[in-house]
């Protein structure tokens, strides 16, 4: 029974949440359009959480992903405001994310600073840089090309459902592609197996010939790149950029990965489990919003749910 609760408790809870909202909101929640809307709402978090999964596989954290997402959006918006083509603005923002991730990785793997301390410091640095380069203002209006904002509102048509035209949002497609890429990286490549080996026992991984420092740096670089991609998706969705718009992504990304670890046999992060964690948070937020529950109450409920899931998993592991 304990094993069942630890492995499937989160999935059972997820199903219970869906049933609850389907009963309470029968006309709006269990509809194809709403579910596609949920996939769009969680797409930014999905991309950032996928990147976070890569470093958490090694037992590390990256607290700077939210600040990096904000900085990437600001960099792209400033480049577009300077009449640079959209593709150059996007590449510039992604390059900033990659460099930021490399910097984090260098501080952790080469200098030897604990990930919590290193990324806490860079979180403040990236946030400060975003404020400095933007002047603390929101960049929007004519500075943002219509094509950039329209991308987030577009999608691939899936036909009609109940007489209503539905489409898979572009942002959801990007999230699916990123999740697939991370799944291949972690589950189907030697690199992924080595990352799990580092997370299992870093010293043993080093003694067995694995280039621990290089792989940790690479993992942080990929996490920074994913954070920048999430920031660009956010900026496209709201057709604007400000220095704090990615601030909520860090905690939610870590929460999603933790929720996913409750379903793994040994409590290790798995990308498909992270997807479930993201969907739990997204469905809960969507349903509570439709029920007009205050945002502060939603934060309390989401935090309580995460604490309950992780505590149940920890108690089950301790009793084995």
């Amino acid at each position: 029974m304990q094993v069942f609760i630890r492995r499937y408790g989160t999935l059972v809870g997820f199903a219970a949440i869906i049933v609850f909202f389907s009963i309470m909101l029968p006309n709006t929640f269990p509809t194809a359009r709403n579910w596609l809307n949920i996939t769009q709402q969680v797409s930014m978090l999905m991309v950032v959480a996928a990147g976070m999964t890569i470093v958490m596989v090694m037992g590390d954290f990256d607290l700077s992903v939210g600040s990096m997402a904000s900085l990437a959006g600001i960099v792209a918006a400033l480049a577009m405001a300077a009449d640079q083509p959209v593709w150059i603005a996007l590449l510039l923002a992604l390059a900033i994310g990659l460099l930021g991730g490399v910097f984090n990785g260098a501080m952790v793997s080469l200098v030897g600073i604990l990930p919590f301390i290193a990324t806490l410091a860079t979180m403040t640095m990236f946030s400060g840089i975003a404020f400095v380069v933007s002047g603390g203002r929101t960049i929007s209006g004519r500075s943002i090309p219509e094509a950039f904002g329209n991308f987030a509102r577009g999608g691939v048509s899936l036909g009609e459902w109940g007489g209503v035209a539905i489409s898979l949002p572009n942002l959801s497609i990007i999230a699916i592609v990123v999740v697939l890429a991370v799944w291949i990286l972690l589950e189907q490549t030697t690199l992924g197996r080595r990352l799990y080996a580092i997370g299992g026992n870093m010293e043993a991984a080093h003694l067995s010939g694995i280039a621990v420092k290089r792989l940790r740096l690479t993992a942080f670089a990929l996490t920074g790149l994913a954070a920048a991609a999430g920031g660009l998706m956010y900026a496209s969705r709201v057709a604007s950029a400000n220095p704090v718009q990615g601030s909520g992504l860090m905690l939610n990304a870590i929460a999603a990965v933790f929720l996913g670890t409750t379903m793994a046999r040994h409590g290790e992060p798995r990308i498909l489990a992270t997807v479930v964690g993201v969907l739990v948070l997204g469905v809960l937020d969507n349903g509570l919003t439709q029920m007009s529950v205050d945002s502060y109450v939603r934060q309390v409920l989401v935090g309580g749910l995460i604490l309950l899931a992780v505590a149940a998993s920890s108690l089950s592991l301790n009793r084995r």
Side-chain angles (χ1 to χ4, degrees):
M1 186 63 181
Q2 289 178 359
V3 174
F4 177 83
I5 293 175
R6 186 174 64 82
R7 291 290 305 276
Y8 304 108
T10 300
L11 284 175
V12 172
F14 184 37
I17 292 171
I18 294 174
V19 171
F20 173 76
F21 286 129
S22 297
I23 294 173
M24 297 300 295
L25 304 162
N27 297 323
T28 56
F29 183 79
T31 64
R33 172 167 285 188
N34 186 52
W35 275 98
L36 289 171
N37 184 43
I38 290 174
T39 66
Q40 185 183 40
Q41 289 174 341
V42 303
S43 58
M44 292 78 72
L45 176 59
M46 190 77 79
V47 170
V48 177
M52 184 68 77
T53 303
I54 298 175
V55 291
M56 289 184 70
V57 160
M58 304 183 302
D60 292 332
F61 292 93
D62 186 346
L63 303 182
S64 68
V65 291
S67 297
M68 177 50 70
S70 300
L71 178 59
I74 288 291
V75 168
L78 287 174
M80 288 184 279
D83 293 330
Q84 294 297 321
V86 173
W87 67 271
I88 288 182
L90 298 182
L91 287 180
L92 185 60
L94 292 174
I96 292 293
L98 187 63
L99 287 175
V102 169
F103 184 75
N104 280 335
M107 291 296 103
V108 172
S109 63
L110 302 182
V111 180
I113 302 175
L114 290 174
F116 180 84
I117 303 298
T119 58
L120 181 65
T122 55
M123 177 183 73
T124 306
M125 289 172 57
F126 297 156
S127 178
I129 294 172
F131 272 99
V132 169
V133 298
S134 67
R137 62 190 175 89
T138 298
I139 303 170
S140 59
R142 295 181 179 177
S143 300
I144 307 296
E146 283 190 15
F148 183 66
N150 289 340
F151 177 80
R153 290 188 285 273
V156 176
S157 176
L158 298 178
E160 292 189 358
W161 184 277
V164 179
I166 58 174
S167 61
L168 183 62
N170 289 331
L171 296 185
S172 302
I173 295 173
I174 292 177
I176 292 170
V177 171
V178 171
V179 167
L180 181 61
V182 174
W183 178 78
I184 292 173
L185 172 72
L186 292 180
E187 307 289 345
Q188 305 295 321
T189 67
T190 303
L191 173 62
R193 287 190 286 275
R194 288 175 175 171
L195 293 179
Y196 277 108
I198 294 172
N201 189 321
M202 189 176 298
E203 186 63 24
H206 174 69
L207 293 175
S208 65
I210 294 176
V212 174
K213 291 183 178 179
R214 179 167 57 83
L215 291 185
R216 290 181 87 188
L217 192 151
T218 302
F220 274 98
L222 293 175
T223 302
L225 184 63
L232 291 174
M233 293 164 68
Y234 202 114
S236 175
R237 188 180 181 205
V238 297
S240 65
N242 71 68
V244 295
Q245 67 184 18
S247 58
L249 288 172
M250 180 268 287
L251 286 177
N252 284 335
I254 292 176
V257 179
F258 266 128
L259 277 174
T261 60
T262 62
M263 292 180 285
R265 177 175 300 177
H266 301 293
E268 74 278 15
R270 296 284 177 183
I271 182 61
L272 296 183
T274 296
V275 171
V276 176
V278 170
L279 289 176
V280 169
L281 297 178
V283 167
L284 195 60
D285 190 63
N286 178 273
L288 293 175
T289 300
Q290 290 193 45
M291 294 178 68
S292 301
V293 175
D294 189 278
S295 61
Y296 299 117
V297 177
R298 294 205 303 271
Q299 292 179 9
V300 173
L301 292 174
V302 170
L305 175 69
I306 295 165
L307 198 59
L308 180 64
V310 176
S313 177
S314 299
L315 288 173
S316 178
L317 283 173
N318 292 335
R319 290 173 181 171
R320 292 178 63 187

